[in-house]
Amino acid sequence: MNRAPSLLERAAVHLVLVLAVAFALYPVLWVVATAFSGTVTPEPRALPIPQEPTLEHLREVVGSSRELADGSTVWLFGRQLLNSLTVSIATALTGVLIAIPTAYALARFSFLGKTAGVRALLATQMFPAVASAIPLYLILDALELLNSRTGLVLCYASTSVPFAIFQLRAAFEAIPIDLEEAAMVDGATRFQAFRMVVLPVARPAIAVTALFAFMSAYNEFILAATLLDDETMFTLPVMLQRFIGEYDAQWDVFAAGALVVSLPVMALFYLVQRHLVAGLASGGVKG
């Protein structure tokens, strides 16, 4: 019979967890303190508390605007936020929609060129995205897609699709084929078994894959800075970099921008986490 942990043991475990959380959150608290401090340079101190609290840095980031050539004024931060969300969502959808049938075929069927295709996909994951910056620039220039969201989505999809295929292939291989065979014995077609049996069970893996694809595109900087030259087409990481110059750094505004930029990812992670729990609860065989 297992012995229940004593009060001292439970207290020690909670103390270790509290220290681990404090260690992880301490740098984040410094970012928050820097973003809301009115002083130019925060003084070193143990507790990261904002000095002369102000919202001016947030206003400078969120309220940025630009006058266009036609005389109209555009809300610059709103346009850049829209660019980041549009590119990231399109990249995640493209990666998942292409990867689902491809990964299922690789997991369930044998066909000519399967091994070579898997090795080719694996080879694409061995090189960083920056290594393909020049070829991608030349291709987009020939297609007249430079400085556009469409061109950026195509570049990001070239890396998100292979990653999503490998992720989902492993998920489909872990699903017992007996579930599909049982559905087909009951009269379902292969596609119906895939849609009604495999996809609900694989929903947690699909959600995680889409989340990683979204975050990779949302946080990417090098390709976006290379392929975009119009400020109204910038994504948020490129916008943040503008606050760090060669001879001067606006760390207070940069910290405020970092907090604002992280909010969509935090909200998306919360929503996907709920879907993960629902998928795990609904998947499997019910007796």
Side-chain angles (χ1 to χ4, degrees):
M1 187 174 180
N2 296 330
R3 180 182 65 87
S6 64
L7 179 61
L8 181 61
E9 291 173 338
R10 293 198 300 270
V13 171
H14 283 79
L15 178 61
V16 171
L17 293 176
V18 169
L19 292 177
V21 171
F23 180 80
L25 291 181
Y26 192 71
V28 179
L29 295 179
W30 264 109
V31 175
V32 174
T34 304
F36 291 100
S37 292
T39 57
V40 177
T41 303
E43 298 178 359
R45 57 194 183 280
L47 294 178
I49 301 175
Q51 298 176 317
E52 302 178 14
T54 180
L55 297 177
E56 186 60 32
H57 306 316
L58 287 176
R59 294 193 190 99
E60 185 173 349
V61 174
V62 178
S64 59
S65 61
R66 176 185 172 183
E67 185 176 350
L68 301 180
D70 58 1
S72 61
T73 302
V74 62
W75 181 31
L76 197 57
F77 175 80
R79 179 70 66 86
Q80 293 165 347
L81 175 61
L82 178 63
N83 293 337
S84 285
L85 293 177
T86 301
V87 169
S88 301
I89 293 173
T91 301
L93 290 177
T94 302
V96 169
L97 291 178
I98 295 177
I100 286 177
T102 306
Y104 181 76
L106 292 174
R108 287 290 188 262
F109 306 117
S110 297
F111 50 88
L112 183 63
K114 173 181 176 179
T115 303
V118 172
R119 290 176 179 173
L121 286 174
L122 181 61
T124 63
Q125 301 298 293
M126 297 180 181
F127 301 95
V130 66
S132 59
I134 295 178
L136 289 174
Y137 185 94
L138 296 176
I139 292 173
L140 293 184
D141 187 27
L143 297 175
E144 299 183 356
L145 290 176
L146 282 177
N147 201 44
S148 68
R149 290 190 287 258
T150 303
L152 207 56
V153 170
L154 291 177
C155 293
Y156 291 163
S158 65
T159 56
S160 68
V161 169
F163 170 79
I165 289 175
F166 276 103
Q167 287 285 103
L168 296 179
R169 179 196 178 196
F172 289 144
E173 288 177 342
I175 299 175
I177 197 172
D178 296 344
L179 296 177
E180 298 171 70
E181 292 176 347
M184 287 187 285
V185 167
D186 290 338
T189 63
R190 166 71 72 173
F191 178 75
Q192 289 174 331
F194 168 73
R195 181 174 60 87
M196 302 175 64
V197 177
V198 176
L199 285 183
V201 177
R203 186 167 59 180
I206 295 173
V208 170
T209 302
L211 177 63
F212 274 108
F214 178 92
M215 292 179 61
S216 298
Y218 190 81
N219 295 324
E220 202 280 328
F221 166 75
I222 296 179
L223 286 179
T226 303
L227 303 175
L228 304 175
D229 58 12
D230 184 358
E231 197 173 15
T232 60
M233 296 303 299
F234 283 171
T235 56
L236 292 179
V238 182
M239 177 272 292
L240 283 179
Q241 188 270 340
R242 297 292 166 168
F243 296 120
I244 308 300
E246 184 177 358
Y247 303 105
D248 184 29
Q250 299 175 274
W251 292 114
D252 43 10
V253 183
F254 182 89
L259 292 178
V260 175
V261 168
S262 64
L263 292 179
V265 177
M266 294 171 61
L268 179 64
F269 187 85
Y270 175 76
L271 294 175
V272 173
Q273 187 181 41
R274 296 174 60 185
H275 287 291
L276 286 176
V277 174
L280 290 172
S282 62
V285 182
K286 296 183 179 179

